[in-house]
Every structure is written in structure tokens, then in C-alpha cells.
Amino acid sequence: METTLRGVGVSHGVAIGEVRHMGTAVLEPPAKQIPAEDAAREQGRARKAVEAVAADLIARGNLAGGEAQAVLEAQAMMAQDPELMADVERRIAVGSTAERAVYDAFAAYRALLAGAGEYLAGRVADLDDVRNRIVARLLGVPMPGVPDSDEPYVLIARDLAPADTALLDPTLVLGFVTEEGGPTSHSAILARALGVPAVVALPGAGELAEGTVIAVDGSTGEIFVEPSADKKAQLEAAAAQRKAALSASTGPGATSDGHKVPLLANVGGPADVPAAVEAGAEGVGLFRTEFLFLDDSKQAPSEEKQVEAYRQVLEAFPEGRVVVRVLDAGADKPLDFLTPADEPNPALGVRGLRSLLDHPDVLRTQLTALAKASEGLPVYLEVMAPMVADRTDARAFADACRAAGLRAKFGAMVEIPSAALRARSILQEVEFLSLGTNDLAQYTFAADRQVGAVSRLQDPWQPALLDLVALSAEAAKAEGKSCGVCGEAASDPLLACVLAGLGVTSLSMGAASIPYVRATLAKYTLAQCERAASAARATDTAEEARTAAQAVLSGE
């Protein structure tokens, strides 16, 4: 009998297939004592397993490229954490086997993370994955990961570790559903990059029996269990209609009456560029530069290495706009040479621009590398700072850009509510704003973007978040400057229309979302988008906002 479940849709498309569950490694190795003379050998086994797992994660990252590479390299750093390794060796010295020492050391670290506030608690899934991989290697059992199957299937998991999501085979994995996660979690972002339909934050997903046929609608977040023939036909027809609309829509982003809304791509490095070009991106609205710095947490990459990487991206968009975000370190992206080790709440501590202002040599080198990389190119380079809180931050960043001889527009990301509330003040120092809606939602609602239990508050349709977007866009218009959105909110086609109606001047998203947004924008006039935006802001919940905007745009 057909039943309907609802989670959070995070990646467009429809998938219909049989359920397969994510495999897990043996979670708890047996506890047994070893003779003292075996300790050195066991410590050696532990070190080799850790290095092998770290190397495997880095290799997966190199294969996946882009955003996935940065995430996986951060996970490899987690595996090699020296304090964790010291704890493992200490436990072996007093009689534990290598696998049990790893299990217990990670359990202790896990407890610390889980109790250190929601932001760090969101890293627990990544930590568990690293632990399972090391223990599996030591025990000689299969690694956790996607199931073996010759037939396409829908993958079900409690949560998907970045190492698994990054290398999903879209020809076999039709879509995936997870119990945990949120619309801006690592898995959601990587799913959109892959173009795989996905639904997250679905309680009880793990109870779906192996082999059950389900239909996943990654746009609405609906899961249809044992769908009827009529429901399958209806979903497939809607998917075909969507595909036809995408094929028919080409060219620059614009509303049906010709109001231009440039559609740009979010990229994590040179590996993401081909997909962006193929999708018709008009440039890059968010070039995340962290991928370069995660190669070595002990020191920043050389100026020469940075110049080479930046130039590869800049050359791909002649006459186009490329917006580079300087290093956003801290919180879930710690770097030994930048990030304080003893912060009680890293999400509210020294991260982003704050880290760079504390280490001006790192910022100076990056800005100088960007200046050299853009020399002689016809690209429109723009450089922005993450985590700008006020005019003082904006002025410090602009001064650093000028001191480095950077011939580019300087901008500020709006990720902190204070920046939205005082946007006009900030625009006295910089030339554009870019709204990072993922972090802006996190800080507005005190809701960690990685925690499924608070995903309701991470919904970019929340009216309070739309109010902050409107404040920023209105300030930019008053100053004659631009205000884009580079958070995942831009990848929702319906919300993209609302953002245009709020006055946002450009939208940047994962390459796979660009055709959906382009086709949807082209169906409506700017006036319709403005009315939809007003209707959404007049509501009290995210669901009401979405429904109200849809009603306006559908003419109801």
C-alpha cells in the first residue's frame, strides 16, 4: 500500500528504485589485553592503519575534485590528529590492541565534540566514519560504504560520510535518503554537485526494508513507499517535463520581461570549472579557496602555488565575472597555523576574516597571488572577505586589498546578522555584498547547519532570513552597488525567483542547479517575482512562505 513520508529535499530530480542500505564496519572490536612486549608492534599497526586511511581519503578527494576534495582532505586531517594518535599509543602501552585503542580514543574525542555545542557536534558523523575506516582496516573487514550492486538502487543511510558521497556512481545510485543532515550539510552540497536526487532529515528512513520500491522527489522532500503505477507515471511525466524545460532554456539568466539576473557557479577549485562552463554559468559567484590550504594544515601554500591554481579558474571565464572568497578557516575547517586550539565554541570564535587579520602575512600572500594571477586577463575579478561583522572589518579588508596592489572590486560576505542590519554602513568601505545564506541562517537561528534535528531552522524560506536578504539588497540598491546570493538558497528555482524579487542582483549555486534556476526564472516577470517575495515575507513559517510564493507565481 502506498504511503508518503516527508523529509527535506536538497537536490532536484526524481528517483524510483529499490532500497539498499549503507554498509557499516564492525563498530566495536573485542576488548582483550596484549603482552607488554607486543605494544610496539600494535602501535606500529595503528600508525600504518591511520596513514593508510588518510591516504585513501586524500586519493578519493583527488578523484572527486572541487568541494568534495576540500571536505575529504579535512577528514584526512582528522584521522591524523596528533593528540588522537598520542591517546591511541598511550592506550596500547597499557595493554589495548590497536583496534580497541583506536575505538576507545575516538569514543573519548567523540564525547568531547558531542558536548562542545551544536556546531562541533555536527562533526561527529565525519569522526565516526574515520574511526570505522581505521578499525575496519585493522580488523581486516570490508570498509564501510555504498553496497555492491549490479542494478541501480536508492541508497538509504543514517548519514552519508563525505568519503562516500563524493564518489557515488550516478549510474547506479539513483538517489539517496538520510535520517540525519540538513539542507546545507556536506552531503546535501555534494549531492547537488553530482546532480543526484536527495532527501535528508527523514526520521525512520533506516526502517525502510531492503528491496522496498520507493520514489524520491528531491525537490519536494517527499518519499513515496511502494508507489502505485499511477504515481510512478505522474512523477516520471513531471520529471520529463522538467527535463524538456531545461533543454529549451539557454543563455543568460533573466526574467520573462528581460530583467537580467546573472547565474554564476560556486566552485571549490579548478576541478569544478568544466561542469560550470557546461551548465552555462556566466562566471563564478563563489570561488572557495580552502582547497589549497587543506593540503597541509601546518603551513600556508606558497604564493607560486596559489597563483597557478587561481589562474586556472580565471582563464576559464574570459570577459566573465569571478568572485573569489579569501580563506575561510576556523570552525569546521581548522588549520594548525591559523586556528586557535582551545576555543570553547569555534563557530563563534576566530574564523574567516578574523583569522586573517590576526595573520596578515597569510592574507597578504593570498591577495598578492590573486593580483598576479589576474594580470593580463580580461576577467572581471572580485574578491570578498568571509565573516564580516561591521564597517571596521570591511575597512580592514579593503585596506589590505589596496596594500597588496589588487586591481579588483572588494566585497563583503553577509553571513552575520549584524552585517545585514548595517549593510549600508559596510558598503561605505566595499563595492559589493554577497549573501552566504547557509551561515546567515545558522547565526540568525542559532541552528547548526550540520544537525538534522534543527533543519527546520536552516530552511532558507524562513521569513526572518528573507527579511535580512531584503535589508541587504535594499541597502545595496540605495548605494548603487550589487548584492548577490552565493549560499545554497540560490539553487532552489522557486526561491531564486523570490530572491530576484527581493532585489538580489545575481545568484550563484552548484553547476547542476543552474539549468533549473534559469528555466524557472524565465517563466515569470520581475513584477511577479516581487509580488511573490512580498507574499513570502508576510508569512510566519518557511512552509507558509513557500506556499504563498508558489500561489502568486502560479496565478492562484
Side-chain angles (χ1 to χ4, degrees):
M1 180 179 176
E2 179 182 315
T3 57
T4 304
L5 307 173
R6 183 181 288 276
V8 178
V10 295
S11 185
H12 306 299
V14 172
I16 302 174
E18 291 188 359
V19 163
R20 294 285 183 275
H21 286 269
M22 173 70 75
T24 58
V26 174
L27 293 180
E28 185 170 1
K32 60 181 182 181
Q33 290 292 108
I34 60 168
E37 58 268 23
D38 289 347
R41 186 194 65 188
E42 289 294 290
Q43 288 171 341
R45 285 182 65 227
R47 283 192 295 271
K48 285 181 181 177
V50 165
E51 291 305 318
V53 166
D56 178 62
L57 290 167
I58 290 170
R60 285 169 177 261
N62 289 336
L63 283 173
E67 176 75 19
Q69 184 171 7
V71 172
L72 291 171
E73 287 178 349
Q75 225 184 347
M77 287 165 53
M78 187 181 284
Q80 296 170 303
D81 183 280
E83 290 186 17
L84 258 176
M85 196 63 229
D87 191 19
V88 168
E89 294 190 344
R90 181 185 63 77
R91 292 172 187 274
I92 292 173
V94 294
S96 284
T97 62
E99 48 268 32
R100 185 70 204 192
V102 167
Y103 179 84
D104 289 339
F106 271 73
Y109 192 36
R110 188 186 200 280
L112 285 174
L113 286 186
E118 287 186 347
Y119 203 96
L120 284 180
R123 307 282 79 74
V124 165
D126 289 0
L127 186 70
D128 286 349
D129 180 62
V130 172
R131 176 203 63 197
N132 287 350
R133 290 174 184 278
I134 298 171
V135 170
R137 184 170 289 274
L138 286 165
L139 291 176
V141 300
M143 287 284 176
V146 297
D148 290 327
S149 177
D150 296 328
E151 297 297 323
Y153 58 90
V154 177
L155 182 62
I156 306 291
R158 180 169 182 79
D159 202 357
L160 279 171
D164 298 314
T165 317
L167 295 183
L168 287 179
D169 182 351
T171 63
L172 282 177
V173 181
L174 302 170
F176 66 75
V177 181
T178 66
E179 292 191 44
E180 297 293 328
T184 58
S185 64
H186 286 148
S187 292
I189 292 170
L190 295 176
R192 284 188 284 270
L194 287 166
V196 176
V199 171
V200 301
L202 179 70
E207 296 170 16
L208 291 167
E210 190 86 0
T212 303
V213 175
I214 65 171
V216 179
D217 189 328
S219 300
T220 66
E222 292 175 303
I223 306 292
F224 303 95
V225 182
E226 299 290 3
S228 65
D230 286 347
K231 175 58 73 175
K232 286 183 184 178
Q234 178 188 337
L235 289 169
E236 287 168 348
Q241 188 177 15
R242 230 178 262 159
K243 188 174 181 180
L246 295 182
S247 301
S249 177
T250 57
T255 57
S256 63
D257 56 340
H259 174 73
K260 292 182 179 179
V261 185
L263 302 181
L264 312 171
N266 294 344
V267 303
D272 288 344
V273 168
V277 172
E278 186 179 349
E282 297 167 60
V284 172
L286 173 60
F287 178 10
R288 303 178 179 96
T289 56
E290 289 76 42
F291 78 102
L292 270 172
F293 292 79
L294 290 169
D295 281 346
D296 183 353
S297 70
K298 306 295 183 187
Q299 61 183 0
S302 67
E303 182 182 301
E304 293 73 21
K305 183 177 181 180
Q306 291 188 55
V307 169
E308 181 184 357
Y310 301 150
R311 196 167 179 91
Q312 285 182 57
V313 176
L314 297 176
E315 286 176 337
F317 295 95
E319 306 293 340
R321 176 185 176 201
V322 175
V323 184
V324 179
R325 180 180 71 189
V326 294
L327 175 64
D328 183 15
D332 63 336
K333 293 170 285 190
L335 294 170
D336 290 351
F337 64 91
L338 273 184
T339 311
D342 55 352
E343 288 188 301
N345 191 339
L348 301 178
V350 183
R351 64 166 291 198
L353 180 62
R354 298 167 186 175
S355 283
L356 294 174
L357 294 178
D358 279 353
H359 297 82
D361 52 327
V362 175
L363 177 59
R364 188 184 313 112
T365 299
Q366 184 169 26
L367 294 174
T368 302
L370 284 164
K372 291 182 178 179
S374 62
E375 283 177 3
L377 296 180
V379 69
Y380 295 94
L381 175 64
E382 301 184 10
V383 182
M384 62 186 182
M387 298 297 291
V388 171
D390 57 15
R391 184 173 180 175
T392 300
D393 280 351
R395 182 187 301 121
F397 178 65
D399 287 346
C401 289
R402 282 188 283 267
L406 192 61
R407 294 183 179 179
K409 284 187 176 181
F410 318 141
M413 291 196 71
V414 177
E415 301 166 286
I416 302 172
S418 64
L421 294 167
R422 301 288 293 172
R424 198 158 182 182
S425 169
I426 287 171
L427 283 165
Q428 305 310 303
E429 306 293 341
V430 296
E431 297 172 80
F432 69 93
L433 300 177
S434 184
L435 288 141
T437 53
N438 304 349
D439 270 324
L440 185 57
Q442 173 169 256
Y443 290 120
T444 299
F445 297 103
D448 189 332
R449 55 193 283 192
Q450 301 293 334
V451 177
V454 293
S455 62
R456 174 182 74 82
L457 297 170
Q458 268 292 331
D459 192 324
W461 281 95
Q462 286 282 359
L465 190 65
L466 299 181
D467 288 345
L468 292 174
V469 173
L471 276 175
S472 303
E474 288 162 6
K477 183 177 181 180
E479 294 296 327
K481 296 179 178 180
S482 63
C483 176
V485 167
C486 65
E488 293 301 312
S491 65
D492 179 334
L494 183 63
L495 185 51
C497 296
V498 167
L499 294 173
L502 291 173
V504 166
T505 55
S506 66
L507 299 167
S508 190
M509 65 209 77
S513 297
I514 290 175
Y516 290 92
V517 173
R518 182 193 292 120
T520 305
L521 265 178
K523 291 163 61 177
Y524 306 109
T525 65
L526 177 60
Q528 285 177 298
C529 293
E530 289 172 340
R531 288 197 295 274
S534 295
R537 288 182 68 193
T539 64
D540 295 313
T541 69
E543 188 171 348
E544 289 173 358
R546 187 185 292 107
T547 301
Q550 181 68 70
V552 169
L553 294 177
S554 62
E556 295 176 10

